[in-house]
């Protein structure tokens, strides 16, 4: 989900731009990579993540199994 100021304050993070991880599918790539609910993604491979669209664009630059 897109992070907004209200959610940032609620989960206690100092940023208001990024993608808020609300849930993960068990045993899938995000969980295996160590992401947890309430994590916030602000950068991926040097690309700024400000919202869901910028995150999916950055992820789309990868193939399954990339590290």
């Amino acid at each position: 989900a897109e992070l907004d100021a209200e959610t940032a304050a609620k989960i206690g993070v100092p940023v208001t731009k990024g993608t808020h991880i609300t849930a993960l599918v068990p045993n899938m790539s995000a969980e295996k990579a160590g992401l947890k609910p309430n994590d916030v993604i602000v950068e991926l491979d040097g690309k700024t993540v400000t919202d869901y669209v910028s995150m999916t664009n950055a992820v789309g630059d990868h193939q399954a199994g990339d590290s």
Side-chain angles (χ1 to χ4, degrees), residues 34-48:
L35 292 174
K36 300 178 296 273
N38 288 325
D39 281 349
V40 176
I41 299 171
V42 295
E43 185 178 293
L44 181 62
D45 284 343
K47 296 178 183 172
T48 300

Side-chain angles (χ1 to χ4, degrees), residues 1-58:
E2 290 186 27
L3 184 67
D4 58 28
E6 180 181 342
T7 302
K10 183 189 242 184
I11 64 173
V13 295
V15 296
T16 57
K17 299 273 185 191
T19 299
H20 173 218
I21 305 299
T22 57
L24 296 166
V25 177
N27 298 312
M28 295 301 288
S29 299
E31 184 183 61
K32 288 177 182 179
L35 292 174
K36 300 178 296 273
N38 288 325
D39 281 349
V40 176
I41 299 171
V42 295
E43 185 178 293
L44 181 62
D45 284 343
K47 296 178 183 172
T48 300
V49 172
T50 58
D51 55 24
Y52 182 77
V53 172
S54 61
M55 186 198 65
T56 57
N57 288 340

